Amino acid sequence: MSNPTTYVLVHGAWHDGQSWNRVAPLLTAQGHRVFTPSLTGHGDKAHLLSPEVGLTTHVDDIVGLILDHDLSDIVLVGHSYAGMVISSVANRVSERVSRLVYIDAMVPTHGENAIDVMPLTQVLIDGAGATAQPWRIPPLPEFPAPLGLFGVTDPDDTAWLKTTLTDESVLCFQQPAEMDNPAQTLIPRVHILCVGSEAEGVTRRPIPATQPNGEPSRVYELETGHDSMITMPVELSDLLLENA
């Protein structure tokens, strides 16, 4: 392949870089370069979780990765909460990002935090406030099918996923996204929605018909649960390849 794409895949809250284990090989098999970092407080950085870890920490994680490896022309992918992360990363290093892909993700505007984008997040924060460690939010529990554990219902997959999940700091949901750099509005966006098994009370913010850059919005749907990288890795990878 003459022009391989560089993908940076950013996991959502409570997850870690392993959530992309089924997607990354499908992209690299096509000759592309793929990074699947774990954010501070997760995966190999789980021991670094503290009350001071917030959205800014996670933005610094990804910006640092991009600069350390001198990455450019990146397809920057964010799942769920990581929509907040990639939005602010694009604000910082817009010249290095060729496309933003939001997978069932929070999509903020400048100054919004996760609570603004998805008010149900405040319920999780309130729940943590009644515990001995009010700054940390445990992973969501497993629900009966079709909700499962973040939309994962296969017993083996669910058992594995549980081994990867760790707590999230409240500050991650409270810090605002920074999107005041006009250059970031020029970056094309793609939205991939996981539909068919939405939890009660979880409302998805409508996607505007027009992107910030003036182009028509590009929206795709996958008939699967929230963690589509686990439940539909082939279909998700195909969409990522199509939108490189």
Side-chain angles (χ1 to χ4, degrees):
M1 178 178 293
S2 58
N3 293 302
T5 298
T6 298
Y7 291 90
V8 177
L9 311 179
V10 188
H11 64 81
W14 302 292
H15 293 61
D16 68 8
Q18 297 178 84
S19 63
W20 304 104
N21 279 1
R22 293 176 177 174
V23 171
L26 298 175
L27 300 178
T28 56
Q30 297 298 317
H32 302 296
R33 192 179 187 191
V34 182
F35 293 85
T36 60
S38 291
L39 299 172
T40 297
H42 304 283
D44 59 345
K45 301 177 184 176
H47 62 289
L48 299 176
L49 184 66
S50 74
E52 289 73 38
V53 171
L55 176 60
T56 300
T57 312
H58 293 159
V59 173
D60 289 344
D61 287 340
I62 303 304
V63 170
L65 171 77
I66 292 170
L67 297 180
D68 288 347
H69 292 273
D70 194 22
L71 305 181
S72 60
D73 202 24
I74 304 162
V75 175
L76 185 57
V77 180
H79 174 242
S80 195
Y81 154 77
M84 304 290 297
V85 179
I86 67 171
S87 296
S88 290
V89 170
N91 199 66
R92 295 256 300 269
V93 289
S94 57
E95 72 283 357
R96 294 176 179 264
V97 180
S98 64
R99 192 175 304 277
L100 292 169
V101 181
Y102 295 86
I103 302 176
D104 225 28
M106 297 180 178
V107 185
T109 58
H110 177 61
E112 287 189 319
N113 62 18
I115 304 165
D116 296 320
V117 179
M118 185 171 288
L120 186 64
T121 306
Q122 185 62 54
V123 176
L124 304 178
I125 294 174
D126 292 343
T131 68
Q133 292 183 299
W135 60 271
R136 61 193 301 161
I137 303 174
L140 298 180
E142 182 179 0
F143 295 97
L147 297 179
L149 183 64
F150 295 100
V152 177
T153 56
D154 178 85
D156 290 339
D157 289 346
T158 299
W160 171 80
L161 180 57
K162 286 179 179 177
T163 68
T164 72
L165 300 176
T166 50
D167 293 353
E168 198 73 43
S169 170
V170 164
L171 192 60
C172 295
F173 299 142
Q174 293 175 327
Q175 286 186 324
E178 296 182 2
M179 302 175 66
D180 55 350
N181 179 1
Q184 60 85 22
T185 64
L186 303 177
I187 301 171
R189 298 181 177 192
V190 175
H191 302 268
I192 301 173
L193 308 180
C194 302
V195 301
S197 60
E198 293 85 355
E200 184 178 352
V202 177
T203 56
R204 180 182 285 123
R205 176 178 286 183
I207 297 170
T210 304
Q211 300 182 43
N213 66 0
E215 297 177 0
S217 291
R218 304 179 71 172
V219 184
Y220 302 86
E221 292 186 351
L222 291 175
E223 292 277 350
T224 190
H226 184 57
D227 279 5
S228 56
M229 66 287 299
I230 297 172
T231 59
M232 275 193 172
V234 173
E235 295 84 351
L236 178 58
S237 299
D238 286 345
L239 287 177
L240 294 177
L241 291 168
E242 181 181 336
N243 290 279

